[in-house]
Amino acid sequence: MFRLVSAVLTALVAVQSLTQLTGEGVARAQIEEVDLIEAVDMPALEQRQVPNFVVILADDAAFTDFGAYGGEIATPVFDDLASSGVQFTNFHTAPIGAASRAMLLTGLDSHEAGLGTLPIFAPAEFEDQPGFRGQLEGGVSTVADHLRDAGYRTYVVGKWGLGQDAENLPPAHGFDRSFVLRSGGVDHFAERTSNAFLGDVQWDEDGEAVVLGEDFYASDVLVDRMISYIGDGQAEAPFFAYVALTAPHFPLQAPEENISPYIGRYADGWTALREERWACAKELGVLPPDAPLGTFVPGGRDWDDLTADERETYAKRMSVYAGMIDNLDENLGRLVDHLKATGQFENTVFILSSDNGPAGDESEADPVFRRWAGGQGYSFDFGRLGGPRSFSSLGAEWASAVASPGNLFKGYTSEGGTRVPLIITGPGIEQGLRTGALSVMSDITPTILDLANAPFDRDVLTGRSLTPLLLGVEERVYGDLDAIGLELNGNAALFRGRYKIVRNNPPGSDGEWRLFNIEEDPGETLDLSFASPQLFQDMLSDYSLYERRVGVLSWPEGYDPASVSRDRAQAIMKKSPWWKPVLGLVLVVIVIILLWQFVLRGFVTNLLSSQEN
């Protein structure tokens, strides 16, 4: 039956390729598409067993974090799935997680979906503007909405990030069962916030608050919940399972057994790791053999200039990060094993990715944050690093290393911030295929709906189905003149064929547009804007059209979203009850004094007297 689908898709792509250069041609292609779909024997398609879907989304994992992409971390389950399906090497997300999650679940550009930015970044004039409310816009349908209408069971666990009010939680967006963290910034071992702006941690199950307490690890809990939702394979309806993990987002924490194999592994520092991953990715074919290594983060420190204690601390941080990826892979393995044991694996499509590139934050360098975090119960002691109640983050240098060969990291529209892994594997999908075809996060929804044979209006969605590529019908789904835009907080990019224009604001860059051939130069090292001025201008015009189409708002002159967000968070932290831990310590001392005065003192006196006698 997949051959029948492939034949139809081949015809569709042929019609589109002949007509894609003009608006009239696109309209004709859409008409032809409808005619071809109607010509298919729909009853026969409906008799085909539709697949289950498992979507695994890591939180801030980098392009080369997994072994199949050139990483040194042990990820055997991920790598095995990569070898059994299609591995994408030119896949892009928005530069922050909430926008990417909106794209993934809706098939729309982040502004169209409602996540053009987050409240912590936005100026006052953006308040309540369409596309900038920090939650899914009213009337926007999710992939879960479509799949539930098509008879699927729909489940989500993990970080939600698409609105915290009851009307914006998963039950209102097509999910039958849900166990989610309303927003990001959370301890992995306990219900403890790591972001003052986001407030207290709140987990919800099916829209109702639940208490986890402590003594758990988030990735374990999330996979346990999803396994319980999926069940034993006896249900008649297929399932859609969205696992939005919180790892490896800071604070860097992992079980000791996952950290210990990497202790000492990163003693040579970030520059050595960046070059090692770059070389390995080229050897594997993930990067072109002549792909240059991107520029190291501006202002990045030389590893050899650090003190011995600093090197030990930073190396330990990277070991913990590796442990989080290691544990992520273990939990993926538990889910795979469950599906195999219950006979559901062979009919399940897996989609594995990350919401954006690695985070370059180093919050612990800020004394205001350290005082606030101490009040939350976090420790910065080296001996506790990686364990419960510890706080640490990668920092800009390690983030630059794990994003190799990309430029910059999370928050920026450079390759380091937006190019991430994507694996799609399952029944009928090509095996062992590695593709450099351009693709973006908004392509996931139409791809799932195509594979599920679920009805949807293709014209409404921004993304395109990757099904022709997955089935081996076509080598790409975007032509040389198809423009794909991204924008967040004034940082912007537009992809067209093998080319990309990109603009990043300080401190990562200077706010100027540049042009790169990202197929040959994924590190964005050679600006082609002067060598190809007409192409550069054409793509700038395409970007202007993109802004108008999706409703990108103009940021105020001189407005720095990063500084504003930092100031807003600090204002909250400075008002936080720092006296609570001090009061707690005082109370402990008082209790000890009272115990001594009324209990222990008499006991000790009597004991000494008896010994003298």
Side-chain angles (χ1 to χ4, degrees), residues 294-295 405 407 413-416 500 502 516 518 521-526:
T295 305
N407 179 33
T413 47
S414 57
E415 292 297 281
K500 171 188 179 183
V502 60
F516 300 102
I518 58 166
D521 182 21
E524 299 172 330
T525 63
L526 179 61

Side-chain angles (χ1 to χ4, degrees), residues 11-52:
L12 293 181
V13 173
V15 171
Q16 290 174 341
S17 64
L18 288 172
T19 59
Q20 66 182 354
L21 298 181
T22 68
E24 180 182 0
V26 171
R28 288 200 304 271
Q30 291 168 349
I31 293 171
E32 290 292 329
E33 179 178 343
V34 173
D35 292 342
L36 284 166
I37 290 174
E38 291 177 350
V40 176
D41 182 2
M42 293 306 292
L45 281 176
E46 290 170 0
Q47 291 170 11
R48 173 176 59 88
Q49 185 181 14
V50 293
N52 305 308

Side-chain angles (χ1 to χ4, degrees), residues 122-139:
E125 48 265 56
F126 281 18
E127 185 176 355
D128 206 33
Q129 291 295 312
F132 290 85
R133 297 186 176 102
Q135 61 192 37
L136 291 180
E137 289 287 339

Side-chain angles (χ1 to χ4, degrees), residues 62-65 69-71 270-282 286-287 292-295 358 397-409 415-416 419 522-523:
F63 180 64
T64 52
D65 272 342
Y69 283 85
W270 35 63
T271 301
L273 181 65
R274 182 169 170 77
E275 293 176 351
E276 175 187 333
R277 289 193 175 191
W278 169 56
C280 188
K282 290 194 295 183
V286 171
L287 297 174
L293 181 62
T295 305
E397 292 90 353
W398 279 128
S400 184
V402 297
S404 180
N407 179 33
L408 296 174
F409 33 74
E415 292 297 281
R419 185 183 291 221

Side-chain angles (χ1 to χ4, degrees), residues 121-175:
F121 298 115
E125 48 265 56
F126 281 18
E127 185 176 355
D128 206 33
Q129 291 295 312
F132 290 85
R133 297 186 176 102
Q135 61 192 37
L136 291 180
E137 289 287 339
V140 169
S141 296
T142 69
V143 64
D145 287 316
H146 291 291
L147 289 175
R148 186 160 68 177
D149 289 345
Y152 272 76
R153 297 172 288 149
T154 54
Y155 310 132
V156 57
V157 298
K159 182 183 286 190
W160 179 241
L162 301 178
Q164 299 193 44
D165 298 331
E167 62 270 21
N168 291 307
L169 293 178
H173 290 290
F175 287 97

Side-chain angles (χ1 to χ4, degrees), residues 337-580:
D337 288 345
H338 173 76
L339 295 176
K340 288 181 177 179
T342 55
Q344 301 174 90
F345 177 80
E346 296 299 329
N347 193 44
T348 297
V349 171
F350 285 84
I351 301 174
L352 317 173
S353 191
S354 174
D355 63 345
N356 46 245
D361 307 69
E362 192 168 2
S363 301
E364 56 267 55
D366 178 9
V368 175
F369 177 83
R370 290 178 71 92
R371 187 186 70 184
W372 173 83
Q376 300 297 315
Y378 284 108
S379 169
F380 299 96
D381 293 343
F382 177 82
R384 299 185 63 175
L385 201 158
R389 293 184 175 270
S390 70
F391 188 98
S392 65
S393 53
L394 271 183
E397 292 90 353
W398 279 128
S400 184
V402 297
S404 180
N407 179 33
L408 296 174
F409 33 74
K410 178 180 177 179
Y412 295 102
T413 47
S414 57
E415 292 297 281
T418 64
R419 185 183 291 221
V420 297
L422 173 65
I423 300 298
I424 303 181
T425 183
I429 292 173
E430 287 286 291
Q431 296 187 15
L433 174 64
R434 182 180 292 122
T435 176
L438 178 65
S439 50
V440 291
M441 189 65 90
S442 52
D443 298 332
I444 300 301
T445 279
T447 302
I448 290 173
L449 296 179
D450 250 356
L451 292 173
N453 193 33
F456 68 102
D457 187 349
R458 298 170 190 271
D459 297 340
V460 172
L461 302 187
T462 305
R464 294 188 180 180
S465 173
L466 301 173
T467 309
L469 194 155
L470 297 176
L471 301 182
V473 175
E474 288 294 323
E475 293 185 355
R476 58 180 181 168
V477 298
Y478 289 99
D480 289 339
L481 298 181
D482 291 324
I484 307 168
L486 292 175
E487 188 276 341
L488 189 114
N489 297 347
N491 297 330
L494 183 126
F495 303 87
R496 205 175 80 173
R498 66 182 61 189
Y499 296 100
K500 171 188 179 183
I501 55 170
V502 60
R503 177 189 69 201
N504 283 302
N505 293 318
S509 190
D510 56 9
E512 297 295 324
W513 285 101
R514 290 175 172 82
L515 170 66
F516 300 102
N517 179 335
I518 58 166
E519 284 190 3
E520 298 177 359
D521 182 21
E524 299 172 330
T525 63
L526 179 61
D527 180 7
L528 302 174
S529 57
F530 292 104
S532 303
Q534 188 59 56
L535 174 62
F536 184 53
Q537 290 303 317
D538 288 346
M539 292 184 69
L540 288 174
S541 297
D542 284 341
Y543 180 78
S544 296
L545 292 173
Y546 159 77
E547 280 192 321
R548 291 198 293 273
R549 181 176 64 81
V550 303
V552 176
L553 298 179
S554 297
W555 291 78
E557 188 70 27
Y559 186 87
D560 182 358
S563 295
V564 169
S565 66
R566 183 171 56 251
D567 292 344
R568 288 173 176 172
Q570 285 199 342
I572 295 171
M573 289 188 288
K574 289 176 181 177
K575 292 180 181 178
S576 65
W578 58 269
W579 45 266
K580 282 188 176 180

